[in-house]
Protein backbone atom coordinates (compact mmCIF):
# COMPACT_ATOMS: atom_id res chain seq x y z
CA UNK A 1 0.00 0.00 0.00
CA UNK A 2 1.32 3.44 -0.94
CA UNK A 3 1.55 6.12 1.73
CA UNK A 4 0.96 9.68 0.54
CA UNK A 5 2.27 12.91 2.01
CA UNK A 6 0.03 15.85 2.74
CA UNK A 7 1.68 17.70 -0.17
CA UNK A 8 0.80 14.76 -2.47
CA UNK A 9 -2.81 15.00 -1.36
CA UNK A 10 -3.06 18.78 -1.73
CA UNK A 11 -1.48 18.65 -5.20
CA UNK A 12 -3.79 15.88 -6.33
CA UNK A 13 -6.90 17.57 -4.92
CA UNK A 14 -6.08 20.85 -6.70
CA UNK A 15 -6.08 19.12 -10.05
CA UNK A 16 -9.47 17.37 -9.90
CA UNK A 17 -13.13 18.18 -9.33
CA UNK A 18 -13.99 15.19 -7.13
CA UNK A 19 -13.46 15.42 -3.39
CA UNK A 20 -10.78 13.38 -1.68
CA UNK A 21 -10.24 12.75 2.01
CA UNK A 22 -6.77 12.47 3.53
CA UNK A 23 -5.70 10.88 6.79
CA UNK A 24 -2.54 9.19 7.98
CA UNK A 25 -1.01 8.79 4.49
CA UNK A 26 -4.21 7.44 2.91
CA UNK A 27 -6.25 9.22 0.25
CA UNK A 28 -9.87 8.13 -0.27
CA UNK A 29 -12.49 9.19 -2.75
CA UNK A 30 -15.45 10.65 -0.87
CA UNK A 31 -18.90 9.18 -1.49
CA UNK A 32 -21.04 10.79 -4.17
CA UNK A 33 -24.22 12.69 -3.41
CA UNK A 34 -27.76 11.53 -3.98
CA UNK A 35 -30.52 14.03 -4.77
CA UNK A 36 -31.80 13.69 -1.19
CA UNK A 37 -28.33 14.30 0.24
CA UNK A 38 -27.94 17.41 -1.89
CA UNK A 39 -31.38 18.76 -0.87
CA UNK A 40 -30.70 18.27 2.83
CA UNK A 41 -27.28 19.92 2.59
CA UNK A 42 -28.70 22.85 0.64
CA UNK A 43 -31.54 23.34 3.15
CA UNK A 44 -29.14 23.22 6.11
CA UNK A 45 -27.01 25.92 4.49
CA UNK A 46 -30.07 28.09 3.81
CA UNK A 47 -31.13 27.81 7.46
CA UNK A 48 -27.61 28.59 8.69
CA UNK A 49 -27.29 31.59 6.36
CA UNK A 50 -30.62 33.00 7.55
CA UNK A 51 -29.75 32.57 11.24
CA UNK A 52 -26.20 33.89 10.89
CA UNK A 53 -27.03 37.03 8.87
CA UNK A 54 -25.40 40.06 10.45
CA UNK A 55 -23.22 38.01 12.81
CA UNK A 56 -19.48 37.36 12.79
CA UNK A 57 -20.21 33.73 11.88
CA UNK A 58 -20.27 32.21 8.41
CA UNK A 59 -21.63 28.94 7.03
CA UNK A 60 -19.85 26.86 4.40
CA UNK A 61 -20.96 23.94 2.28
CA UNK A 62 -19.13 20.86 1.12
CA UNK A 63 -16.76 22.84 -1.10
CA UNK A 64 -14.88 24.08 1.97
CA UNK A 65 -12.36 21.59 3.29
CA UNK A 66 -11.84 21.14 7.04
CA UNK A 67 -8.60 19.98 8.58
CA UNK A 68 -8.16 18.71 12.10
CA UNK A 69 -5.18 18.67 14.49
CA UNK A 70 -5.43 14.87 14.26
CA UNK A 71 -4.47 15.12 10.56
CA UNK A 72 -7.81 14.59 8.80
CA UNK A 73 -8.54 16.65 5.69
CA UNK A 74 -12.15 16.24 4.57
CA UNK A 75 -15.25 17.98 3.22
CA UNK A 76 -18.18 17.98 5.65
CA UNK A 77 -21.61 18.72 4.24
CA UNK A 78 -21.78 22.00 6.17
CA UNK A 79 -19.73 23.87 8.73
CA UNK A 80 -19.82 27.17 10.60
CA UNK A 81 -16.95 29.34 11.74
CA UNK A 82 -17.18 32.43 13.94
CA UNK A 83 -14.56 35.13 13.70
CA UNK A 84 -11.62 34.90 11.32
CA UNK A 85 -11.08 31.86 9.13
CA UNK A 86 -8.11 29.99 10.52
CA UNK A 87 -6.07 27.88 8.12
CA UNK A 88 -2.89 27.67 6.11
CA UNK A 89 -4.79 27.27 2.82
CA UNK A 90 -7.55 29.43 1.32
CA UNK A 91 -9.85 26.47 0.66
CA UNK A 92 -9.40 24.92 4.12
CA UNK A 93 -10.67 25.87 7.57
CA UNK A 94 -9.41 24.51 10.85
CA UNK A 95 -11.67 26.31 13.34
CA UNK A 96 -15.29 25.27 12.71
CA UNK A 97 -17.64 25.50 15.69
CA UNK A 98 -20.30 23.40 13.92
CA UNK A 99 -19.89 20.46 11.54
CA UNK A 100 -22.78 18.75 9.77
CA UNK A 101 -22.68 15.38 8.04
CA UNK A 102 -25.60 13.97 6.03
CA UNK A 103 -25.51 10.22 6.53
CA UNK A 104 -25.74 7.52 3.91
CA UNK A 105 -25.56 3.75 4.18
CA UNK A 106 -21.91 3.81 3.10
CA UNK A 107 -20.77 6.60 5.49
CA UNK A 108 -23.04 6.26 8.57
CA UNK A 109 -20.73 4.16 10.74
CA UNK A 110 -17.60 6.14 9.81
CA UNK A 111 -19.31 9.52 10.40
CA UNK A 112 -20.62 8.38 13.80
CA UNK A 113 -17.41 6.69 14.92
CA UNK A 114 -13.89 7.27 13.64
CA UNK A 115 -14.62 10.53 11.82
CA UNK A 116 -16.27 12.00 14.91
CA UNK A 117 -13.24 11.00 16.97
CA UNK A 118 -11.00 12.85 14.49
CA UNK A 119 -13.28 15.91 14.44
CA UNK A 120 -13.19 16.05 18.25
CA UNK A 121 -9.54 17.13 18.07
CA UNK A 122 -10.67 20.55 16.71
CA UNK A 123 -10.46 22.91 19.72
CA UNK A 124 -13.19 25.27 18.42
CA UNK A 125 -15.74 22.51 17.64
CA UNK A 126 -18.87 22.69 19.80
CA UNK A 127 -21.61 20.98 17.76
CA UNK A 128 -21.66 17.93 15.49
CA UNK A 129 -24.91 17.25 13.64
CA UNK A 130 -25.63 13.95 11.92
CA UNK A 131 -28.64 14.00 9.61
CA UNK A 132 -30.20 10.83 8.22
CA UNK A 133 -31.35 11.15 4.63
CA UNK A 134 -33.44 7.97 4.44
CA UNK A 135 -35.63 8.62 7.50
CA UNK A 136 -36.40 11.51 9.85
CA UNK A 137 -33.62 11.65 12.42
CA UNK A 138 -31.08 14.28 13.49
CA UNK A 139 -28.42 13.49 16.06
CA UNK A 140 -26.79 16.43 17.86
CA UNK A 141 -23.52 15.86 19.69
CA UNK A 142 -22.43 18.76 21.83
CA UNK A 143 -18.79 19.09 22.79
CA UNK A 144 -18.02 20.81 26.05
CA UNK A 145 -15.01 23.02 26.62
CA UNK A 146 -12.52 21.68 29.10
Amino acid sequence: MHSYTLDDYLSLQRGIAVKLEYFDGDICLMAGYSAGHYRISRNVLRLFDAKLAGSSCEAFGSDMRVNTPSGLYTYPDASIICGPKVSNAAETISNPIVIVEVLSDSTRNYDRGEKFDLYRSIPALRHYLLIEQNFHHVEHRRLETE
Side-chain angles (χ1 to χ4, degrees):
M1 184 197 264
H2 187 273
S3 184
Y4 296 92
T5 67
L6 178 57
D7 286 339
D8 293 337
Y9 163 73
L10 294 172
S11 293
L12 182 60
Q13 184 64 87
R14 270 191 288 276
I16 58 175
V18 296
K19 292 182 178 70
L20 303 172
E21 184 171 274
Y22 174 84
F23 180 68
D24 199 24
D26 292 330
I27 296 175
C28 300
L29 179 65
M30 294 189 69
Y33 292 123
S34 67
H37 188 132
Y38 174 76
R39 280 198 269 320
I40 292 167
S41 297
R42 183 187 64 210
N43 289 336
V44 165
L45 276 178
R46 284 181 179 164
L47 288 170
F48 284 171
D49 284 341
K51 292 293 184 186
L52 297 173
S55 77
S56 65
C57 300
E58 185 175 4
F60 294 99
S62 62
D63 288 335
M64 182 61 76
R65 182 173 48 224
V66 167
N67 77 297
T68 70
S70 57
L72 175 68
Y73 284 74
T74 192
Y75 296 85
D77 293 305
S79 59
I80 295 175
I81 62 167
C82 292
K85 184 167 90 63
V86 176
S87 178
N88 294 335
E91 66 280 353
T92 305
I93 58 174
S94 57
N95 61 327
I97 64 163
V98 176
I99 292 178
V100 178
E101 294 287 2
V102 177
L103 304 178
S104 66
D105 291 340
S106 64
T107 66
R108 181 177 295 107
N109 291 338
Y110 174 56
D111 288 341
R112 281 199 168 126
E114 183 182 358
K115 195 172 200 180
F116 175 59
D117 288 340
L118 296 169
Y119 280 150
R120 288 173 48 176
S121 71
I122 301 170
L125 188 63
R126 296 293 169 261
H127 303 278
Y128 185 52
L129 297 172
L130 299 153
I131 303 173
E132 289 285 352
Q133 65 175 306
N134 296 325
F135 54 93
H136 298 283
H137 182 77
V138 175
E139 184 177 333
H140 176 206
R141 296 182 181 181
R142 183 169 183 190
L143 290 88
E144 301 291 330
T145 59
E146 295 180 18

